[in-house]
Amino acid sequence: MEERRARQILSSSATIEVTFEGTKVWIDSLSEDGKTATVHLRGPGEERTQVAVSDLVETGE
């Protein structure tokens, strides 16, 4: 995913499906340089992890 699209998704009020390594995630924030994102699994889990924005995939709108 490109940084610009990740920022659009982050600021959107719509639910946009994003995956990381095949697992659905929420984007919580982006780093200042836009190269990494903090994400957590969709669902009850609150464990957050940093991943490369380029590893995120938009799967639906």
Side-chain angles (χ1 to χ4, degrees):
M1 174 177 299
E2 294 179 4
E3 173 196 355
R4 181 178 61 82
R5 184 59 181 144
R7 290 194 188 282
Q8 290 173 341
I9 291 170
L10 187 58
S11 64
S12 176
S13 61
T15 300
I16 300 169
E17 290 189 12
V18 174
T19 62
F20 171 70
E21 297 182 347
T23 302
K24 292 181 181 181
V25 296
W26 290 108
I27 301 173
D28 294 314
S29 63
L30 294 176
S31 62
E32 283 189 32
D33 66 7
K35 295 183 191 273
T36 60
T38 301
V39 300
H40 71 273
L41 296 177
R42 294 181 79 171
E46 288 296 319
E47 183 178 337
R48 287 173 167 72
T49 188
Q50 280 198 317
V51 300
V53 170
S54 61
D55 290 340
L56 296 174
V57 177
E58 182 176 358
T59 58
E61 295 187 30

